Amino acid sequence: MKLKKTYMAAALSALLALPALAQVPAPAPKQSRPMLLKGATLHVGNGTVIENAAVGFDNGKITYAGPQNGANLSGYEVVDVTGQHIYPGLIHSNSTLGLNEVESVRATIDWREVGEFNPNVRSIIAYNTDSDIIPTVRTNGVLMTQLTPVGGTISGMSTVVQLDAWNWEDAVVKADEGIHLNWPNMLIETGNSSDEARLKTMAETRKQTLAELTALLRDAAVYKAGQHDSENLKLAAMAGLFDGSKKLYIHADYGKEIIESVNFARQHGVKDIVVVGAGDALAVADFLKANNIAVIYSGVHALPSRAEEDVDMPYKTPYLLHKAGIPFALDYNTSIHGIRNLPFIAGTAAAYGLDKEHALASVTLNAARILGVDKQVGSVEVGKDATLVVSAGDLLDMRTNNVTHAYIQGRNLDLSNKQKYLYEKFDNKYKAQEKSVEPTTSLQP
């Protein structure tokens, strides 16, 4: 009987400990009453900074954003954030967050489909809202992302989501907003081999891929025109490329590949093009500007691509893109775990010439414009979603970034996560050990 009681007590203790072990907080409830954040410095996201500001929101929408003395919103619950900073929620472009949980287990990798041409593949239906990584990303102020499939020549369709939802349907901000094309490499890596037959085979493979891509785009244009007898999911998915309702995201780095791919897409009637990666964007800046092409630049925290370039060239590239008049957003495409460092990518750009508010825009309003969601998010303006963060320090500075409040569509987020839990667990452990060690007295001569 005593053993049974002991077992029951242990089981009860385990159940009571479950909340402490929870690593993915439940999504926040819908905003139930109007809120007013007051006293902070407001970074609107469009270059404007307002000292001693206030931001009010109700039913998930921003109702006021301006000087504190101009806010006369009776009935609002006031949150005093004096001395802190209010920012738009950061937006990460070109991400596999929630599509790739454990890389060593094939069953948890949902960012790629088999085959080379998959324009009809929808990344959103594989999105895991219970990913352990999502809460760690939100803690640094990243509240939205673009779910992007990878692999093959045409990977599939991306979707913009907000990072607080019970399921993928609730997470959607803009579904199937673009198709991703991985442009075939012009430069062939030969390693130590000079086998002419091998190089010839690789060149022929590239030629064949381009021919298949040409045929697919032509067929899609015909399908879009209504000249078909049966439904074709691949061709139907591409129809939006020809009327501008979908973007074509071309993943390319080499300058000649960027020019070749953009010209190719234009020749086939594609209306809206974005270059992703864009390592050589500066080398073809005039071409990009002339063709009104936006860029998602992935290489801020990277080594230079050429030996003759300055070692800090990747850090300076955002400033030089801005100076050249190229619209751009920044991403952190090394790994899903690195997405939490998105604000610090912008901070690096600010440290190497880019104005800090323009650096902020590269991960907020500029990203929203490129992804086609700027009417909803990207800046703290009246009428937009109340998707914003409050930081005790500079959000773009690794040393002072300290998000104290975060809201998605007005919902107050729980900012706990696995990493915070583990930090507190072991911090308490070693503090307890320090207290248990009795101080020793030194012997006096």
Side-chain angles (χ1 to χ4, degrees):
M1 187 70 175
K2 184 177 180 181
L3 180 61
K4 184 177 180 181
K5 289 183 177 179
T6 303
Y7 175 80
M8 291 177 66
L12 180 60
S13 298
L15 287 173
L16 292 174
L18 283 177
L21 293 173
Q23 297 168 358
V24 180
K30 185 178 180 180
Q31 183 182 5
S32 60
R33 56 184 180 273
M35 301 285 294
L36 180 72
L37 308 178
K38 72 169 189 175
T41 298
L42 171 60
H43 303 261
V44 177
N46 59 6
T48 304
V49 178
I50 303 173
E51 300 289 344
N52 195 24
V55 176
F57 47 96
D58 187 18
N59 290 321
K61 296 292 184 180
I62 297 172
T63 55
Y64 180 82
Q68 181 177 324
N69 57 18
N72 183 21
L73 303 174
S74 59
Y76 278 61
E77 178 183 344
V78 176
V79 179
D80 190 349
V81 289
T82 300
Q84 300 192 55
H85 300 262
I86 300 175
Y87 300 88
L90 305 189
I91 304 170
H92 188 274
S93 312
N94 185 33
S95 162
T96 58
L97 180 65
L99 303 179
N100 182 9
E101 196 69 14
V102 182
E103 293 186 355
S104 61
V105 182
R106 177 64 185 89
T108 71
I109 299 175
D110 291 320
W111 42 258
R112 177 171 184 155
E113 187 57 84
V114 297
E116 284 295 309
F117 298 92
N118 297 298
N120 55 312
V121 166
R122 305 179 67 214
S123 61
I124 182 60
I125 61 173
Y127 177 51
N128 175 24
T129 55
D130 291 322
S131 168
D132 281 339
I133 303 169
I134 291 174
T136 69
V137 167
R138 300 189 316 198
T139 300
N140 278 359
V142 182
L143 303 185
M144 296 177 60
T145 192
Q146 178 195 33
L147 303 178
T148 304
V150 299
T153 301
I154 296 183
S155 306
M157 293 181 283
S158 58
T159 288
V160 180
V161 297
Q162 50 84 8
L163 301 180
D164 181 60
W166 286 103
N167 50 58
W168 66 261
E169 293 94 339
D170 294 342
V172 170
V173 175
K174 189 172 184 180
D176 305 330
E177 43 79 33
I179 291 178
H180 290 258
L181 166 63
N182 299 299
W183 193 250
N185 292 332
M186 276 185 168
L187 297 178
I188 300 173
E189 295 183 7
T190 59
N192 296 323
S193 172
S194 59
D195 185 353
E196 291 186 7
R198 175 173 172 269
L199 296 179
K200 183 178 179 180
T201 299
M202 295 176 73
E204 290 176 350
T205 299
R206 182 177 192 272
K207 183 178 179 181
Q208 178 64 26
T209 299
L210 291 176
E212 292 176 4
L213 184 58
T214 298
L216 184 62
L217 281 167
R218 287 177 177 171
D219 290 346
V222 171
Y223 189 93
K224 164 69 174 175
Q227 301 175 26
H228 58 87
D229 297 325
S230 59
E231 184 178 14
N232 185 307
L233 295 180
K234 290 189 176 183
L235 301 183
M238 299 179 69
L241 296 178
F242 307 109
D243 59 18
S245 60
K246 280 184 183 175
K247 296 178 186 288
L248 179 63
Y249 295 93
I250 301 176
H251 294 248
D253 282 303
Y254 182 42
K256 289 186 177 180
E257 290 172 359
I258 293 173
I259 293 174
E260 180 188 43
S261 61
V262 170
N263 285 336
F264 178 89
R266 288 280 192 244
Q267 289 168 7
H268 287 87
V270 177
K271 299 293 185 183
D272 200 345
I273 301 169
V274 178
V275 175
V276 183
D280 273 356
L282 285 175
V284 294
D286 291 341
F287 172 82
L288 293 172
K289 189 173 182 178
N291 284 274
N292 194 30
I293 303 297
V295 163
I296 297 175
Y297 181 64
S298 304
V300 175
H301 282 186
L303 292 172
S305 58
R306 294 176 176 80
E308 66 272 13
E309 292 180 343
D310 293 343
V311 69
D312 55 2
M313 190 63 191
Y315 309 152
K316 297 187 292 187
T317 295
Y319 163 69
L320 296 174
L321 287 173
H322 174 72
K323 189 176 179 181
I326 306 299
F328 70 94
L330 301 179
D331 76 9
Y332 194 100
N333 200 29
T334 301
S335 72
I336 52 176
H337 305 282
I339 293 173
R340 72 196 70 162
N341 294 321
L342 181 66
F344 313 135
I345 292 289
T348 298
Y352 281 81
L354 190 62
D355 174 81
K356 182 160 285 189
E357 298 308 312
H358 287 135
L360 174 66
S362 71
V363 289
T364 55
L365 187 56
N366 285 3
R369 286 170 176 162
I370 290 173
L371 301 180
V373 292
D374 53 301
K375 292 183 178 180
Q376 299 162 262
V377 292
S379 59
V380 184
E381 298 180 87
V382 174
K384 290 192 175 184
D385 289 352
T387 298
L388 48 91
V389 296
V390 181
S391 175
D394 185 347
L395 190 68
L396 307 187
D397 183 358
M398 187 179 291
R399 299 167 299 176
T400 60
N401 172 301
N402 180 17
V403 174
T404 58
H405 303 77
Y407 302 87
I408 290 180
Q409 297 169 347
R411 303 189 304 276
N412 190 3
L413 304 188
D414 180 348
L415 292 175
S416 61
N417 62 50
K418 180 178 181 180
Q419 293 176 342
K420 283 186 174 181
Y421 164 74
L422 291 174
Y423 171 81
E424 291 170 2
K425 173 183 175 180
F426 289 101
D427 185 52
N428 291 335
K429 172 187 175 183
Y430 292 115
K431 282 180 179 177
Q433 287 180 351
E434 289 174 1
K435 290 179 181 179
S436 66
V437 176
E438 296 182 0
T440 57
T441 56
S442 59
L443 297 176
Q444 297 295 327

